[in-house]
Amino acid sequence: MIVRQNLGELLNEVRYRGDSVLVTKGGKPVAALIDIELFEKISVMRAAFDRMVSGLSSAFQDADEQAVMEDIAKAVKAARKR
């Protein structure tokens, strides 16, 4: 379906039916039309992730890279055991 010619219909599918629409260009995915509620949830999660990454970067800025990687491997192993 061509987005330019069917945008109104696609927006209705997203809004009223809760569908998501993948937009492609030249056969490759370039964007998606999603429900506003899902977009807002993703935005909140992305902000939380960015804060977490910033905090971890600050906490480990002076740490030895190899030691950090070993700590991460241990944490992953422990999490997988649970």
Side-chain angles (χ1 to χ4, degrees):
M1 183 179 291
I2 298 173
V3 174
R4 287 184 196 138
Q5 295 171 353
N6 299 293
L7 184 58
E9 181 182 338
L10 293 171
L11 291 174
N12 284 336
E13 286 183 30
V14 170
R15 182 174 183 193
Y16 298 112
R17 292 175 38 193
D19 290 346
S20 297
V21 177
L22 183 63
V23 180
T24 61
K25 186 173 184 177
K28 296 183 181 181
V30 295
L33 296 176
I34 60 171
D35 180 82
I36 190 64
E37 291 175 9
L38 177 56
F39 176 79
E40 289 169 348
K41 288 177 185 177
I42 291 169
S43 296
V44 168
M45 290 174 63
R46 185 174 187 174
F49 179 79
D50 290 344
R51 284 191 304 275
M52 181 183 68
V53 168
S54 178
L56 288 170
S57 294
S58 296
F60 290 98
Q61 69 183 358
D62 296 325
D64 175 60
E65 184 176 346
Q66 185 173 350
V68 170
M69 295 307 291
E70 289 171 5
D71 288 344
I72 291 170
K74 287 178 190 176
V76 168
K77 188 175 180 179
R80 287 184 176 157
K81 282 185 179 180
R82 289 185 229 143

